[in-house]
């Protein structure tokens, strides 16, 4: 990830900034979609009290879990991809 003696290039810095911004935005979208899929029927249709409560609580419990898991997975994946596969080599043909 670091070029020229350990300093980041502008492109590497920009890529890290984009990934840091993408991770929470994409995670929030995924959590919202999951909440809508799980709790949506309880909000849209007149359901009995128990199923409605269960769906709402399940949606409220799963959404933050998905949010955190997605942020962590995106950032870990980005970190893993940005490291060179062969440390010390600067040219893939060397």
């Amino acid at each position: 990830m670091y070029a020229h003696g350990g300093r980041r290039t502008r492109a590497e810095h920009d890529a890290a900034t984009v990934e840091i911004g993408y991770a929470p935005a994409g995670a929030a979208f995924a959590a919202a979609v999951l909440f809508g899929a799980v709790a949506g029927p309880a909000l849209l249709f007149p359901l009995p009290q128990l199923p409605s409560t269960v769906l709402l609580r399940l949606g409220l419990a799963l959404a933050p879990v998905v949010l955190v898991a997605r942020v962590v997975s995106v950032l870990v994946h980005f970190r893993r991809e940005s490291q060179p596969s062969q440390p010390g080599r600067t040219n893939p043909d060397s």
Side-chain angles (χ1 to χ4, degrees), residues 26-49:
F29 179 74
V33 168
L34 178 98
F35 177 79
V38 173
L43 298 172
L44 294 175
F45 304 113
L47 298 175
Q49 182 65 29

Side-chain angles (χ1 to χ4, degrees), residues 61-84:
L62 289 178
V65 171
V66 167
L67 184 111
V68 170
R70 183 67 182 147
V71 167
V72 169
S73 73
V74 167
L75 294 179
V76 166
H77 183 71
F78 174 72
R79 178 81 172 145
R80 197 174 295 148
E81 280 188 358
S82 64
Q83 294 177 352

Side-chain angles (χ1 to χ4, degrees), residues 1-4 6-13 16-17 20 79:
M1 181 170 183
Y2 300 109
H4 311 296
R7 303 194 84 208
R8 284 186 187 183
T9 65
R10 184 68 185 164
E12 290 168 338
H13 181 71
T17 302
I20 290 169
R79 178 81 172 145

